Coordinates of all heavy atoms in Angstrom, one line a residue:
H188 N -6.9 -19.6 6.6 CA -8.0 -19.3 5.7 C -8.8 -20.5 5.3 O -8.2 -21.6 5.1 CB -7.5 -18.5 4.4 CG -7.2 -17.1 4.6 ND1 -8.1 -16.1 4.8 CD2 -5.9 -16.5 4.7 CE1 -7.5 -15.0 5.0 NE2 -6.2 -15.2 4.9
S189 N -10.1 -20.4 5.1 CA -10.9 -21.5 4.6 C -11.3 -21.2 3.2 O -12.4 -20.7 3.0 CB -12.1 -21.6 5.5 OG -12.9 -20.4 5.6
G190 N -10.4 -21.4 2.3 CA -10.7 -21.2 0.9 C -9.6 -20.4 0.2 O -8.5 -20.2 0.8
V191 N -9.9 -19.9 -1.0 CA -8.9 -19.2 -1.8 C -8.3 -18.0 -1.0 O -9.0 -17.2 -0.4 CB -9.5 -18.7 -3.1 CG1 -8.6 -17.8 -3.8 CG2 -9.9 -19.9 -3.9
V192 N -7.0 -17.8 -1.0 CA -6.3 -16.7 -0.5 C -5.9 -15.8 -1.7 O -5.2 -16.2 -2.6 CB -5.0 -17.0 0.3 CG1 -4.5 -15.8 1.0 CG2 -5.4 -18.1 1.4
T193 N -6.4 -14.5 -1.6 CA -6.3 -13.7 -2.8 C -5.1 -12.7 -2.7 O -4.6 -12.2 -3.8 CB -7.5 -12.8 -3.0 OG1 -7.8 -12.1 -1.7 CG2 -8.7 -13.7 -3.3
C194 N -4.7 -12.3 -1.5 CA -3.7 -11.2 -1.4 C -2.9 -11.4 -0.1 O -3.2 -12.1 0.8 CB -4.5 -9.9 -1.3 SG -5.9 -9.9 -0.1
V195 N -1.7 -10.7 -0.1 CA -0.8 -10.8 1.0 C 0.1 -9.5 1.0 O 0.4 -9.0 -0.1 CB 0.1 -12.1 0.9 CG1 1.0 -12.0 -0.3 CG2 0.8 -12.3 2.2
A196 N 0.5 -9.0 2.2 CA 1.3 -7.8 2.2 C 2.0 -7.8 3.6 O 1.5 -8.2 4.6 CB 0.5 -6.6 2.1
F197 N 3.3 -7.3 3.6 CA 4.1 -7.1 4.8 C 3.9 -5.6 5.2 O 3.8 -4.7 4.4 CB 5.5 -7.3 4.5 CG 6.0 -8.7 4.6 CD1 6.1 -9.4 3.4 CD2 6.2 -9.4 5.7 CE1 6.5 -10.8 3.4 CE2 6.6 -10.7 5.8 CZ 6.8 -11.4 4.6
S198 N 3.9 -5.4 6.6 CA 4.0 -4.0 7.1 C 5.4 -3.5 6.8 O 6.3 -4.2 6.5 CB 3.7 -4.0 8.6 OG 4.7 -4.8 9.3
H199 N 5.5 -2.2 7.0 CA 6.8 -1.5 6.6 C 8.0 -2.0 7.4 O 9.1 -1.9 7.0 CB 6.6 0.0 6.7 CG 7.0 0.6 8.1 ND1 6.2 0.4 9.2 CD2 8.1 1.3 8.5 CE1 6.8 0.9 10.2 NE2 7.9 1.5 9.9
D200 N 7.7 -2.4 8.7 CA 8.8 -2.9 9.5 C 9.0 -4.4 9.5 O 9.8 -5.0 10.1 CB 8.7 -2.4 10.9 CG 7.4 -2.8 11.5 OD1 6.6 -3.6 10.9 OD2 7.1 -2.4 12.7
G201 N 8.1 -5.1 8.7 CA 8.1 -6.6 8.6 C 7.6 -7.3 9.8 O 7.6 -8.5 9.8
N202 N 7.0 -6.6 10.8 CA 6.5 -7.2 12.0 C 5.1 -7.9 11.8 O 4.7 -8.7 12.6 CB 6.4 -6.3 13.2 CG 7.8 -5.9 13.7 OD1 8.8 -6.6 13.5 ND2 7.9 -4.7 14.3
L203 N 4.4 -7.4 10.8 CA 3.1 -7.9 10.5 C 3.0 -8.4 9.1 O 3.6 -7.8 8.2 CB 2.0 -6.9 10.7 CG 1.9 -6.3 12.2 CD1 0.9 -5.2 12.2 CD2 1.5 -7.4 13.2
L204 N 2.2 -9.4 8.9 CA 1.9 -10.0 7.6 C 0.4 -10.1 7.5 O -0.2 -10.8 8.3 CB 2.5 -11.3 7.4 CG 2.2 -12.1 6.0 CD1 2.9 -11.3 4.9 CD2 2.7 -13.5 6.1
A205 N -0.2 -9.4 6.5 CA -1.7 -9.5 6.3 C -2.0 -10.3 5.1 O -1.3 -10.3 4.1 CB -2.3 -8.1 6.2
S206 N -3.2 -11.0 5.2 CA -3.7 -11.8 4.0 C -5.2 -11.7 4.0 O -5.8 -11.4 5.0 CB -3.2 -13.3 4.2 OG -3.7 -13.8 5.4
G207 N -5.8 -11.9 2.8 CA -7.2 -11.8 2.7 C -7.7 -12.9 1.7 O -6.9 -13.4 0.9
G208 N -9.0 -13.3 1.8 CA -9.4 -14.4 1.0 C -10.9 -14.4 0.8 O -11.7 -13.5 1.2
H209 N -11.3 -15.5 0.1 CA -12.7 -15.7 -0.2 C -13.6 -16.0 1.0 O -14.8 -15.9 1.0 CB -12.9 -16.9 -1.2 CG -12.5 -16.5 -2.6 ND1 -12.7 -17.3 -3.7 CD2 -11.8 -15.4 -3.1 CE1 -12.3 -16.7 -4.8 NE2 -11.7 -15.6 -4.4
D210 N -12.9 -16.2 2.2 CA -13.7 -16.4 3.4 C -14.1 -15.1 4.1 O -14.6 -15.1 5.2 CB -12.9 -17.3 4.4 CG -11.5 -16.7 4.8 OD1 -11.3 -15.5 4.4 OD2 -10.7 -17.4 5.4
T211 N -13.9 -14.0 3.4 CA -14.3 -12.6 3.7 C -13.4 -12.1 4.9 O -13.7 -11.0 5.4 CB -15.7 -12.5 4.1 OG1 -16.0 -13.0 5.4 CG2 -16.7 -13.2 3.1
R212 N -12.4 -12.8 5.3 CA -11.6 -12.4 6.5 C -10.3 -11.8 6.0 O -9.7 -12.1 5.0 CB -11.3 -13.6 7.4 CG -12.5 -14.1 8.1 CD -12.1 -15.2 9.1 NE -11.5 -16.3 8.4 CZ -10.8 -17.3 9.1 NH1 -10.8 -17.3 10.4 NH2 -10.3 -18.3 8.5
V213 N -9.8 -10.8 6.8 CA -8.4 -10.3 6.8 C -7.7 -10.9 8.0 O -8.2 -10.8 9.1 CB -8.4 -8.8 6.8 CG1 -6.9 -8.3 6.9 CG2 -9.1 -8.2 5.6
L214 N -6.6 -11.6 7.8 CA -5.8 -12.2 8.8 C -4.5 -11.4 8.9 O -3.9 -11.1 7.9 CB -5.5 -13.7 8.6 CG -6.7 -14.6 8.5 CD1 -6.3 -16.0 8.4 CD2 -7.7 -14.4 9.7
V215 N -4.2 -11.0 10.2 CA -2.9 -10.3 10.4 C -2.0 -11.1 11.3 O -2.4 -11.4 12.5 CB -3.2 -8.9 11.0 CG1 -1.9 -8.1 11.1 CG2 -4.2 -8.1 10.2
W216 N -0.9 -11.6 10.7 CA 0.0 -12.5 11.4 C 1.1 -11.7 12.0 O 1.7 -10.8 11.4 CB 0.6 -13.5 10.5 CG -0.4 -14.2 9.6 CD1 -0.9 -13.8 8.4 CD2 -1.0 -15.5 9.9 NE1 -1.8 -14.7 7.9 CE2 -1.9 -15.8 8.8 CE3 -0.9 -16.4 10.9 CZ2 -2.6 -17.0 8.7 CZ3 -1.6 -17.6 10.8 CH2 -2.4 -17.9 9.7
E217 N 1.5 -12.0 13.3 CA 2.7 -11.4 13.9 C 3.9 -12.3 13.5 O 4.0 -13.4 13.9 CB 2.5 -11.4 15.4 CG 1.4 -10.4 15.8 CD 1.1 -10.5 17.3 OE1 2.0 -11.0 18.1 OE2 0.0 -10.0 17.8
T218 N 4.8 -11.7 12.7 CA 5.8 -12.5 12.1 C 6.8 -13.0 13.1 O 7.5 -14.0 12.8 CB 6.6 -11.7 11.0 OG1 7.1 -10.5 11.6 CG2 5.6 -11.4 9.9
A219 N 6.9 -12.4 14.3 CA 7.9 -12.8 15.3 C 7.5 -14.3 15.7 O 8.4 -15.0 16.1 CB 7.9 -11.9 16.5
A220 N 6.2 -14.6 15.6 CA 5.8 -15.9 16.0 C 6.1 -17.0 15.0 O 6.0 -18.2 15.2 CB 4.3 -15.9 16.3
L221 N 6.5 -16.5 13.8 CA 6.8 -17.4 12.7 C 8.3 -17.7 12.5 O 8.7 -18.6 11.9 CB 6.3 -16.9 11.4 CG 4.8 -16.4 11.4 CD1 4.4 -15.9 10.0 CD2 3.9 -17.6 11.7
S222 N 9.1 -16.7 13.1 CA 10.6 -16.9 12.8 C 11.1 -18.1 13.6 O 10.8 -18.4 14.7 CB 11.3 -15.6 13.3 OG 11.0 -15.4 14.7
G223 N 12.0 -18.8 12.8 CA 12.6 -19.9 13.4 C 11.8 -21.2 13.5 O 12.2 -22.2 14.0
V224 N 10.6 -21.1 13.0 CA 9.7 -22.2 13.0 C 9.6 -22.9 11.6 O 9.4 -22.2 10.6 CB 8.2 -21.8 13.4 CG1 7.3 -23.0 13.5 CG2 8.3 -21.1 14.8
S225 N 9.8 -24.2 11.6 CA 9.8 -24.9 10.3 C 8.4 -25.4 10.0 O 7.9 -26.2 10.7 CB 10.8 -26.0 10.3 OG 10.7 -26.8 9.1
R226 N 7.8 -24.8 8.9 CA 6.5 -25.2 8.4 C 5.5 -25.3 9.5 O 4.8 -26.3 9.8 CB 6.6 -26.6 7.7 CG 7.6 -26.6 6.6 CD 7.6 -28.0 6.0 NE 6.3 -28.4 5.4 CZ 5.8 -28.0 4.3 NH1 6.5 -27.2 3.5 NH2 4.7 -28.5 3.8
P227 N 5.2 -24.2 10.2 CA 4.2 -24.2 11.2 C 2.8 -24.3 10.7 O 2.5 -23.8 9.6 CB 4.3 -22.8 11.9 CG 4.9 -21.9 10.8 CD 5.8 -22.8 10.0
Q228 N 1.9 -25.1 11.3 CA 0.6 -25.3 10.9 C -0.3 -24.5 11.8 O 0.2 -23.8 12.8 CB 0.2 -26.8 10.9 CG 1.1 -27.7 10.1 CD 1.1 -27.3 8.7 OE1 0.0 -27.0 8.1 NE2 2.2 -27.5 8.0
V229 N -1.6 -24.5 11.7 CA -2.5 -23.7 12.5 C -2.4 -24.0 13.9 O -2.3 -23.1 14.7 CB -4.0 -24.0 12.0 CG1 -5.0 -23.3 13.0 CG2 -4.2 -23.6 10.6
S230 N -2.2 -25.2 14.3 CA -2.2 -25.6 15.7 C -0.9 -25.0 16.4 O -0.9 -24.7 17.6 CB -2.2 -27.1 15.9 OG -1.1 -27.7 15.2
D231 N 0.1 -24.7 15.6 CA 1.4 -24.1 16.2 C 1.2 -22.7 16.5 O 1.9 -22.1 17.3 CB 2.5 -24.3 15.2 CG 2.9 -25.8 15.0 OD1 2.9 -26.6 15.9 OD2 3.1 -26.1 13.8
L232 N 0.3 -22.0 15.8 CA 0.2 -20.6 15.8 C -0.9 -20.0 16.7 O -0.9 -18.9 17.2 CB 0.0 -20.0 14.4 CG 1.2 -20.3 13.4 CD1 0.8 -19.9 12.0 CD2 2.4 -19.6 13.9
E233 N -2.0 -20.8 16.8 CA -3.2 -20.2 17.5 C -3.1 -20.4 19.0 O -2.8 -21.5 19.4 CB -4.4 -20.8 16.9 CG -4.6 -20.4 15.4 CD -5.9 -20.9 14.9 OE1 -6.6 -21.7 15.6 OE2 -6.3 -20.6 13.7
G234 N -3.5 -19.4 19.7 CA -3.8 -19.5 21.1 C -5.2 -19.5 21.4 O -6.0 -19.9 20.6
S235 N -5.6 -19.0 22.5 CA -7.1 -18.9 22.8 C -7.6 -17.6 22.1 O -7.0 -16.6 22.1 CB -7.3 -18.8 24.3 OG -6.8 -19.9 24.9
P236 N -8.8 -17.7 21.6 CA -9.4 -16.5 20.9 C -9.5 -15.3 21.8 O -9.9 -15.5 23.0 CB -10.8 -17.0 20.4 CG -10.6 -18.5 20.4 CD -9.7 -18.9 21.5
G237 N -9.2 -14.1 21.3 CA -9.4 -12.9 22.0 C -10.8 -12.4 21.8 O -11.6 -13.0 21.2
P238 N -11.1 -11.2 22.3 CA -12.5 -10.6 22.3 C -12.9 -10.4 20.8 O -14.1 -10.3 20.6 CB -12.4 -9.3 23.1 CG -10.9 -9.0 23.1 CD -10.2 -10.3 23.1
N239 N -12.0 -10.1 19.9 CA -12.4 -9.8 18.5 C -12.1 -11.0 17.6 O -11.9 -10.8 16.4 CB -11.7 -8.6 18.0 CG -12.1 -7.3 18.8 OD1 -13.2 -7.2 19.1 ND2 -11.1 -6.5 19.2
G240 N -12.0 -12.2 18.1 CA -11.7 -13.3 17.3 C -10.2 -13.4 17.0 O -9.8 -14.2 16.1

Side-chain angles (χ1 to χ4, degrees):
H188 282 287
S189 55
V191 172
V192 188
T193 56
C194 48
V195 67
F197 280 98
S198 63
H199 89 289
D200 57 7
N202 289 337
L203 298 175
L204 176 71
S206 60
H209 285 191
D210 57 8
T211 76
R212 295 186 298 169
V213 176
L214 300 183
V215 185
W216 311 84
E217 296 176 13
T218 56
L221 309 179
S222 60
V224 179
S225 177
R226 300 179 62 82
Q228 306 297 325
V229 174
S230 59
D231 297 318
L232 298 173
E233 294 185 351
S235 300
N239 297 316

